[in-house]
């Protein structure tokens, strides 16, 4: 347990967005994908996860780790299957955002959700690093209440709003980790993480990648950072993390691109360059391949899940 406490203490948690959603018509979104972790609570209606037969009741939750594609069905009745790109283009036809705190949990066909980052040493996405699938959380009143409290805070403009949301989002992350530990889920992945997060050479590589996302991140350069041979660095990285370093680097670059698309007015060409892609066309192809939508449509997102 001490190892898990150390990981939790090293986590940097950052709130993304909160939404209370009215599901206007039943739909199945194919390969929904986000770089942030998403925690959804069902208030009324139905939510289904492709490949999972579990029945979800009102008050139950769905957790989608960042970087994991999921095919999700919302609403009661025969769903309309749509691509993630179509959903992003015509989202107002499917989801309606609500901002009245008094309506939370009282609207037919509705759910609440929050999105957040949870990074070890401010570099590695914790839940993504576990390489775990989306999963349901049943009958966890504390987590459900935390989502509601975050929604209420997000709908108001009281003093200290940001601080309260930040603190409650940290509680959410701890509760999810506790749920995983109590139910002995993903035991092997957690054990692996607790081992490799203690390796200072690997942390040096993570930190270097984060700080030089637009620069030379060849295996030769990573080998210099970790003080291991160029021939060995790829094997070393994959042995500890389960993925090769260049795949990890591409994910980090794309995640940085999403952040820039959402928070700046820079051109797509400039953003591609900022995250290490000198060829804009190649950057756009890789972005579409990873997220399922063009970079320009990701930029036009106005809110989580509905834009």
């Amino acid at each position: 347990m001490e190892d898990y406490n150390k990981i939790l203490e090293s986590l940097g948690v950052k709130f993304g967005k909160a939404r209370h959603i009215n599901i206007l018509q039943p739909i199945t979104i194919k390969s929904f994908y986000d770089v942030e972790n998403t925690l959804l609570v069902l208030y009324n209606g139905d939510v289904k996860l492709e490949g999972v037969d579990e029945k979800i009741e009102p008050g139950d939750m769905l957790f989608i780790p960042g970087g994991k594609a999921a095919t999700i069905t919302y609403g009661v009745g025969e769903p309309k299957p749509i691509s993630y790109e179509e959903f992003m283009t015509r989202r107002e036809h499917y989801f309606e955002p609500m901002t009245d705190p008094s309506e939370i949990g009282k609207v037919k066909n509705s759910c609440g959700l929050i999105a957040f980052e949870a990074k070890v040493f401010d570099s590695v996405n914790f839940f993504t690093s576990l390489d775990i699938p989306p999963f349901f959380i049943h009958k966890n009143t504390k987590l459900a209440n935390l989502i509601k409290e975050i929604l209420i805070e997000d709908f108001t403009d009281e003093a200290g709003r940001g601080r309260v949301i930040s603190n409650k989002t940290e509680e959410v992350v701890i509760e999810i980790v506790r749920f995983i530990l109590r139910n002995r889920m993903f035991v092997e992945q957690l054990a692996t993480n607790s081992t490799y997060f203690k390796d200072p050479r690997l942390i040096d590589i993570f930190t270097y990648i984060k700080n030089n996302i637009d620069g030379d991140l060849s295996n030769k350069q990573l080998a210099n950072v970790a003080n291991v041979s160029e021939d060995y660095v790829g094997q070393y990285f994959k042995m500890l993390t389960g993925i090769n370093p260049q795949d990890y680097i591409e994910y980090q670059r794309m995640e940085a691109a999403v952040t820039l698309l959402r928070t700046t007015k820079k051109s797509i060409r400039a953003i591609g360059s900022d995250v290490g892609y000198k060829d804009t066309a190649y950057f756009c192809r890789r972005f579409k391949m990873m997220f399922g939508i063009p970079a320009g449509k990701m930029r036009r997102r106005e809110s989580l899940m509905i834009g």
Side-chain angles (χ1 to χ4, degrees):
M1 192 61 68
E2 181 183 352
D3 286 345
Y4 302 137
N5 282 330
K6 287 180 179 178
I7 291 174
L8 284 170
E9 288 167 7
S10 71
L11 279 182
V13 177
K14 182 180 178 183
F15 170 74
K17 291 179 178 129
R19 292 293 178 267
H20 185 212
I21 293 168
N22 180 20
I23 302 164
L24 299 176
Q25 60 174 296
I27 56 171
T28 296
I29 305 174
K30 299 176 183 177
S31 300
F32 168 81
Y33 189 106
D34 205 330
V35 296
E36 294 175 317
N37 305 290
T38 302
L39 181 63
L40 176 149
V41 57
L42 177 67
Y43 291 131
N44 183 276
D46 202 4
V47 172
K48 295 176 182 175
L49 187 62
E50 184 179 66
V52 178
D53 294 329
E54 288 182 67
K55 176 69 176 175
I56 182 170
E57 303 289 345
D60 290 344
M61 283 152 284
L62 170 62
F63 177 64
I64 308 173
K68 281 292 177 182
T71 295
I72 311 171
T73 298
Y74 296 93
V76 178
E78 186 64 29
K80 175 184 177 182
I82 60 173
S83 67
Y84 182 41
E85 183 172 358
E86 180 183 349
F87 173 69
M88 295 298 297
T89 303
R90 305 178 70 245
R91 53 193 176 269
E92 68 277 3
H93 294 276
Y94 308 116
F95 284 178
E96 177 187 24
M98 298 178 288
T99 57
D100 183 349
S102 67
E103 293 183 332
I104 295 174
K106 299 178 181 179
V107 177
K108 189 176 180 180
N109 288 322
S110 66
C111 58
L113 59 89
I114 62 170
F116 56 88
E117 292 181 353
K119 293 189 174 183
V120 183
F121 305 112
D122 198 30
S123 300
V124 186
N125 288 294
F126 175 68
F127 294 108
T128 305
S129 71
L130 289 176
D131 192 26
I132 58 178
F135 59 88
F136 287 119
I137 299 174
H138 301 286
K139 296 179 174 57
N140 189 311
T141 305
K142 184 170 183 179
L143 258 180
N145 285 339
L146 282 168
I147 295 175
K148 183 175 181 179
E149 290 166 4
I150 291 171
L151 285 170
I152 291 172
E153 282 291 331
D154 197 51
F155 293 161
T156 61
D157 195 24
E158 298 283 347
R161 165 181 167 274
R163 183 69 179 270
V164 170
I165 290 174
S166 177
N167 290 340
K168 291 187 182 298
T169 304
E170 289 197 1
E171 284 191 65
V172 165
V173 172
I174 291 170
E175 282 302 313
I176 293 172
V177 174
R178 285 178 174 177
F179 175 84
I180 290 172
L181 292 173
R182 286 192 203 107
N183 291 274
R184 297 195 58 76
M185 300 168 69
F186 320 119
V187 174
E188 184 178 338
Q189 293 96 320
L190 284 166
T192 300
N193 265 9
S194 66
T195 299
Y196 82 68
F197 283 139
K198 289 187 290 187
D199 190 316
R201 294 177 299 175
L202 192 63
I203 301 307
D204 286 345
I205 291 177
F206 287 144
T207 302
Y208 184 83
I209 291 171
K210 178 194 172 191
N211 293 335
N212 297 274
I213 201 70
D214 63 338
D216 177 11
L217 296 178
S218 63
N219 279 9
K220 180 178 181 179
Q221 186 59 37
L222 299 184
N224 291 336
V225 171
N227 197 26
V228 297
S229 73
E230 182 180 351
D231 291 338
Y232 177 64
V233 70
Q235 178 186 342
Y236 162 76
F237 191 96
K238 187 169 184 176
M239 177 178 65
L240 291 179
T241 67
I243 59 175
N244 71 60
Q246 294 307 315
D247 285 346
Y248 172 82
I249 288 164
E250 180 167 54
Y251 180 82
Q252 294 302 309
R253 283 177 160 155
M254 289 300 178
E255 184 184 59
V258 169
T259 299
L260 290 171
L261 285 164
R262 291 175 174 174
T263 60
T264 75
K265 295 182 179 180
K266 288 186 174 183
S267 69
I268 290 174
R269 178 186 296 274
I271 288 173
S273 178
D274 284 351
V275 300
Y277 292 89
K278 306 311 176 189
D279 184 334
T280 304
Y282 179 72
F283 164 68
C284 290
R285 285 198 302 273
R286 296 302 298 171
F287 191 98
K288 174 81 182 286
M289 186 175 294
M290 179 169 287
F291 297 112
I293 60 173
K297 287 189 177 178
M298 180 70 79
R299 155 157 279 161
R300 291 193 290 273
R301 292 181 57 146
E302 296 172 358
S303 59
L304 178 74
M305 297 279 282
I306 60 170

